[in-house]
Amino acid sequence: MIKHVLVATDGSDKAREAVAMAAHLAKPVEARLTILHVILHGPKAAETSRFFQRERLAHPQATMPSFSRPTDELFQVSQGDIGQIVSVLGDGIVEEAANEARSLGVGHVDARVEPGEYAETILAIAEEIGADMIVVGSRGLGRFRGMLLGSVSRKITQRAHCSVMVVR
C-alpha cells in the first residue's frame, strides 16, 4: 500500500503532469505527498537565462503562473545573485505544485526545495522521508530537456528502493 509519494518538479509541463499523476495516486489511499524541487548548485548563466525565457520572466512585468511575486520584485530581492533568484523561483514552483495537489484533493502535502544534483537529491529525499513511490516527468527544463529520461529518471529507476513512475 502506498503511504508516501514523492514527486519531483521543475515547473515544466511534464512535471506538472507528474504532480497531477502523483496527486491522483495519493488521494484515494490518503497517502502523504511530498513535492520536491531540486536546485542544481552553481547553475550556469545560460541555463538560468533559458529558464527565465521559458517561464516568460525575461520582462520585468511578467509573472509566473500562480506565482504571487512579480519578476521585478525577484530581482529587487536578489539583484545580481542568480542563486537566490533561482531559489525564490524554486519556492514558487513547489508552492504552485502544492496548491494544485491540494485542489485535486490531497490532504497531506509537503513542499521542499533542496540543493544538489538532481537524481542524487531525489533519491536521498525519497529515503529520508520513507517514500513508497517516486513520480517524475519524462522531460524538463534547460539541462533536463532531452536528458531527463536518459539520465535522471534512469538513475532513479535503477537505484530507488521503492516504485518509480515516469510520466510521459
Side-chain angles (χ1 to χ4, degrees):
M1 181 171 186
I2 298 172
K3 294 180 182 176
H4 201 153
V5 178
L6 172 65
V7 61
T9 182
D10 61 7
S12 67
D13 290 340
K14 276 299 168 196
R16 285 183 185 95
E17 290 177 33
V19 169
M21 179 67 74
H24 289 298
L25 291 168
K27 180 186 173 185
V29 295
E30 298 180 0
R32 177 174 294 280
L33 178 63
T34 297
I35 299 168
L36 172 66
H37 176 72
V38 178
I39 298 173
L40 184 66
H41 265 287
K44 295 178 183 172
E47 180 181 349
T48 303
S49 175
R50 284 191 303 274
F51 180 80
F52 280 91
Q53 289 171 358
R54 169 76 182 206
E55 295 300 326
R56 295 178 197 91
L57 295 176
H59 304 288
Q61 68 276 19
T63 59
M64 224 170 145
S66 304
F67 187 55
S68 60
R69 295 185 189 180
T71 307
D72 58 346
E73 188 178 325
L74 291 175
F75 286 105
Q76 289 171 2
V77 167
S78 56
Q79 198 136 24
D81 186 355
I82 295 294
Q84 188 176 0
I85 293 170
V86 171
S87 178
V88 170
L89 290 172
D91 291 341
I93 288 169
V94 296
E95 177 184 321
E96 179 181 334
N99 289 338
E100 176 65 15
R102 288 182 191 105
S103 76
L104 292 171
V106 180
H108 305 287
V109 180
D110 299 314
R112 295 178 67 158
V113 177
E114 298 289 340
E117 189 276 326
Y118 302 117
E120 299 299 326
T121 303
I122 293 166
L123 290 165
I125 298 301
E127 289 225 14
E128 176 187 315
I129 66 173
D132 303 299
M133 176 175 275
I134 300 171
V135 180
V136 293
S138 62
R139 300 245 181 222
L141 298 173
R143 237 171 85 162
F144 269 163
R145 186 177 306 284
M147 291 184 3
L148 182 62
L149 190 59
S151 62
V152 175
S153 49
R154 180 179 48 81
K155 284 181 190 177
I156 292 168
T157 56
Q158 289 178 340
R159 297 180 38 212
H161 297 288
C162 61
S163 297
V164 177
M165 176 181 285
V166 179
V167 177
R168 295 179 184 249

